[in-house]
């Protein structure tokens, strides 16, 4: 069965960096795009972007350029989200989610990781 | 950028029907997907391509889409349906995913 297992919660100080991992299993890792979604406390879902797991090419949504980096290690079927120069406003749950191309030529997210809480506080 | 608007909350009695709307400009020309998120849990896909149901999702969950409004319908509502629900489209103009604002469903 498809599973996305993310790394555990992180507590970081402002200005530090964090790297969140998302290990996939149960399918061919390079056959599906990996997406990242942010959910701030009490807020809705916000798509951060995606990474082509075949080529490694990332695409970032508006507002997630510069400090946010998507990367891969295909040898262990794992995607990573790194955030640098952390700010209090980065406090959120970060989800990885597998992208699925639908029969109607659109995209949706069919499997999600359990989420990683990143807390930024001095 | 494309905007999806949902009502903040919907309340429904057990056994009744809940309708959750998702408004967007000519949304009927797009495919709409729906996610259920229980407190403290990751989102779960419940409807894709307007009305498709992933394996394991009860038939009580259905969807429709026309004009400027898409709708997720939950029939014979149960206590376990209490959650936040999000609609989502793929915006081909920007090649971005777009989520709706989310609706909290409360089972009375």
């Amino acid at each position: 069965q498809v599973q996305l297992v993310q790394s555990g919660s992180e507590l970081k100080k402002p200005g530090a960096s964090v790297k969140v991992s998302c290990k996939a299993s149960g399918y061919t890792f390079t056959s599906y795009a990996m997406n990242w979604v942010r959910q701030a406390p009490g807020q809705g879902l916000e798509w951060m972007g995606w990474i082509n797991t075949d080529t490694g090419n990332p695409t970032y949504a508006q507002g997630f350029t510069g400090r946010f980096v998507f990367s891969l290690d295909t040898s262990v079927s794992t995607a990573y989200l790194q955030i640098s120069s952390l700010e209090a406003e980065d406090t959120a749950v970060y989800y990885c989610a597998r992208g699925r191309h639908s029969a109607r030529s659109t995209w949706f997210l069919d499997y999600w990781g359990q989420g990683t809480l990143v807390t930024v506080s001095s | 950028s494309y905007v999806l608007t949902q009502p903040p909350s919907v309340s429904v009695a057990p056994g009744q029907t809940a309708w959750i709307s998702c408004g967007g400009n000519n949304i009927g020309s797009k495919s709409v997907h729906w996610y259920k998120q229980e407190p403290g849990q990751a989102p779960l896909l419940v409807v894709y391509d307007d009305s498709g149901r992933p394996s394991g999702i009860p038939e009580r969950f259905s969807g429709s889409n026309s004009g400027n409004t898409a709708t997720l319908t939950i029939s014979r509502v149960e206590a376990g349906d209490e959650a936040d629900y999000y609609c989502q489209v793929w915006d081909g103009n920007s090649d971005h995913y777009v989520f709706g604002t989310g609706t909290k469903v409360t089972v009375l």
Side-chain angles (χ1 to χ4, degrees), chain A residues 64-86:
Chain A
F64 293 102
T65 56
R67 298 188 300 115
F68 300 83
V69 176
F70 307 148
S71 61
L72 305 169
D73 185 343
T74 56
S75 68
V76 289
S77 300
T78 300
Y80 300 94
L81 163 66
Q82 183 161 359
I83 312 171
S84 58
S85 303
L86 283 163

Side-chain angles (χ1 to χ4, degrees), chain A residues 35 39 95 102 104 107 109, chain B residues 31 35 37 49-50 88 97:
Chain A
N35 294 262
Q39 188 169 39
Y95 294 100
S102 83
R104 293 174 62 178
W107 292 88
L109 303 170
Chain B
S31 286
Y35 304 87
Q37 186 180 32
D49 281 350
D50 295 343
Q88 176 250 308
Y97 287 78

Side-chain angles (χ1 to χ4, degrees), chain A residues 6 10-11 19 24-25 27-28 31 38 40 47-48 56-57 59 63 68 70 77 79 82 84 87 89 94 109 114 122:
Chain A
Q6 299 184 224
E10 301 269 9
L11 174 60
K19 193 169 187 177
S25 61
Y27 71 98
T28 301
S31 294
R38 182 172 77 177
W47 182 69
M48 301 173 66
N57 184 49
T59 298
F68 300 83
F70 307 148
S77 300
Q82 183 161 359
S84 58
E87 307 166 352
E89 292 71 30
Y94 293 84
L109 303 170
Q114 82 276 20
S122 54

Side-chain angles (χ1 to χ4, degrees), chain B residues 26-83:
Chain B
N26 197 26
I27 196 173
S29 67
K30 299 180 181 296
S31 286
V32 180
H33 320 291
W34 292 90
Y35 304 87
K36 172 186 181 183
Q37 186 180 32
E38 297 181 51
Q41 300 297 309
L44 172 72
L45 179 71
V46 293
V47 166
Y48 65 93
D49 281 350
D50 295 343
S51 58
R53 259 189 319 276
S55 174
I57 300 302
E59 291 184 6
R60 300 185 299 104
F61 288 83
S62 62
S64 62
N65 184 18
S66 179
N68 292 316
T69 305
T71 303
L72 175 69
T73 303
I74 311 174
S75 304
R76 302 181 299 283
V77 165
E78 303 174 355
D81 298 331
E82 190 161 282

Side-chain angles (χ1 to χ4, degrees), chain A residues 2 6 8 32 39 41 43 48 51 91 110:
Chain A
V2 174
Q6 299 184 224
Y32 295 84
Q39 188 169 39
Q43 302 300 307
M48 301 173 66
I51 185 165
T91 294
D110 62 350

